[in-house]
């Protein structure tokens, strides 16, 4: 461990270097996660899978072991070296992404996706805890917002680069690789996007473990009884923040998983066109939204507004209601893409402030574990349930693949207002939940 517990980290260049590495890691995580959305149609065709089965591959398979592994990893992070957990996690999920490219059946692909989720479970709780030690309350929302930019950087990279890689690989088909033999273009895509993560995992070992703010002595595991008492005392804030973010990500994942298929089915776009147009929108609008939301929350927090972090999230949640319902019903691809840009911009608003709000009501030795609890619900409800709800509406309610736009609009119309209701609950109770040390800062 380096520095003192009260070391004013976050004011030097090194803290920003750490933030850059962790943001890049988050970007790579979402490249590995999001590229599957572009591969839905070729995998579905080759393996004979329905929309509902493909949604399980995108959601449940990824979330299953993310949830199982996340809490033990976070408990370890609250009492040990977070840098090592992050580095080994990057290496693990990158290897499992490449293993997806070696899958010869749906079962093997499903198991490999479980491994990707298990590997990524070590990143976010450890990274959020580490960044909360490198950056004080006045800059924390901005730092966590920049970290969350990885969602959109990675998602955009997966779509833009992935779209062209798929077209390029299809032009080279049939493909034959040493040791692996004949591979489909979608299998080669997984191999290509997973390989750079192995180098990033090695680079992550260059990060120094920071001193833990407000904590002295030898790291210890917080007893479950103590953590339970803390959660009960601030339950409405935790329920509001975690519930709101989970439902927002349900809408985001439910739409994001199917937007490439939406453009393909409704407007006849190909992979390269979808990747370039939609990918650039995700990258530009999403990253701008996370930075603007983090800046807004940090500015208001410096001016003494205790609800600052949640005001930024509330603005984002409110705007998402009409645009998530409206874009799938748009009559032209240009209008749909414009509304998707607005959606991605305001979807970025809640991340920095929402993550910072969670950190400022949580003691240092519980931060990774509470972040893991949040990620448990985010992945079960958001990543796991979102794509499947849309697919079930398409397959069961409308029984027509061409009805995908209606399915997206229906799920958004129900879940987006619920997300706003949860974050409003947190907004009401939040000032009383903030730790005294954080409120004074």
């Amino acid at each position: 461990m380096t520095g003192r517990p009260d070391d004013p980290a976050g004011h030097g260049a090194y803290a920003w270097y750490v933030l850059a590495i962790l943001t890049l890691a988050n970007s790579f995580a979402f490249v590995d996660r999001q590229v599957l959305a572009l591969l839905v149609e070729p995998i579905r065709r080759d393996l004979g899978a329905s929309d509902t089965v493909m949604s399980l591959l995108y959601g449940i398979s990824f979330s299953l072991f993310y949830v199982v592994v996340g809490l033990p990893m976070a408990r370890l992070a609250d009492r040990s070296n977070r840098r090592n957990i992050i580095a080994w996690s990057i290496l693990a999920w990158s290897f499992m992404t490449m293993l997806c490219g070696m899958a010869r059946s749906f079962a093997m692909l499903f198991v490999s996706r479980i491994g990707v989720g298990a590997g990524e479970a070590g990143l976010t709780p450890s990274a959020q805890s580490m960044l909360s030690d490198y950056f004080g309350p006045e800059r924390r929302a901005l730092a966590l917002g920049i970290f969350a930019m990885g969602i959109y950087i990675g998602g955009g990279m997966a779509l833009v680069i992935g779209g062209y890689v798929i077209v390029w690989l299809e032009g080279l088909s049939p493909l034959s690789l040493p040791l692996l033999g004949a591979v489909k273009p979608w299998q080669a895509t997984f191999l290509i996007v997973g390989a750079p993560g192995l180098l990033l995992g090695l680079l992550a070992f260059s990060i120094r473990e920071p001193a833990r703010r407000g904590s002295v002595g030898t790291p210890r595991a917080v007893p479950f009884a103590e953590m339970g008492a803390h959660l009960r005392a601030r339950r409405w804030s935790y329920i509001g923040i975690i519930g709101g973010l989970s439902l927002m990500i349900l809408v985001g994942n439910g739409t994001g998983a199917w937007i490439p298929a939406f453009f393909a089915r409704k407007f006849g776009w190909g992979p390269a066109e979808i990747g370039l147009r939609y990918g650039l929108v995700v990258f530009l609008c999403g990253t701008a939204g996370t930075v603007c939301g983090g800046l807004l929350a940090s500015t208001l927090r410096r001016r003494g507004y205790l609800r600052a972090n949640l005001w930024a999230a509330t603005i984002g949640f409110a705007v998402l209601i009409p645009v998530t319902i409206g874009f799938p019903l748009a009559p032209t691809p240009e209008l749909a893409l414009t509304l998707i840009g607005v959606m991605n911009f305001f979807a970025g608003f809640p991340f920095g402030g929402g993550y910072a709000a969670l950190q400022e009501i949580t003691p240092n030795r519980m931060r990774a574990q509470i972040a893991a609890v949040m990620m448990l619900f985010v992945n079960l409800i958001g990543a796991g349930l979102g794509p499947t709800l849309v697919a079930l509406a398409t397959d069961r309610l409308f029984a027509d693949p061409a009805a995908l736009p209606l399915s997206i609009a229906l799920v958004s119309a129900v879940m987006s207002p619920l997300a706003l209701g949860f974050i409003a609950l947190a907004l009401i109770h939040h000032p009383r939940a903030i730790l005294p040390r954080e409120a004074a800062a």
Side-chain angles (χ1 to χ4, degrees), residues 74-80 212 364-369:
R75 192 160 176 81
L76 182 63
D78 275 334
R79 65 178 192 273
S80 65
R212 295 180 184 263
N364 192 297
R365 292 294 180 193
M366 300 181 191
R367 280 178 172 164
Q369 292 172 84

Side-chain angles (χ1 to χ4, degrees), residues 53 66 85 99 111 114-115 118 212 223 250 285 293 413 438:
V53 170
Y66 195 114
I85 293 173
L99 200 59
V111 170
I114 288 176
R212 295 180 184 263
L250 182 151
C285 297
E438 295 286 324

Side-chain angles (χ1 to χ4, degrees), residues 395-441:
D395 287 344
R396 304 295 181 182
L397 181 61
F398 299 111
D400 181 6
L404 178 61
L406 295 177
S407 302
I408 295 173
L410 177 62
V411 171
S412 298
V414 174
M415 297 301 174
S416 292
L418 278 176
L420 180 61
F422 271 95
I423 210 68
L425 177 68
L427 194 67
I428 293 168
H429 293 275
H430 193 66
R432 295 190 297 275
I434 297 176
L435 300 175
R437 180 187 179 89
E438 295 286 324

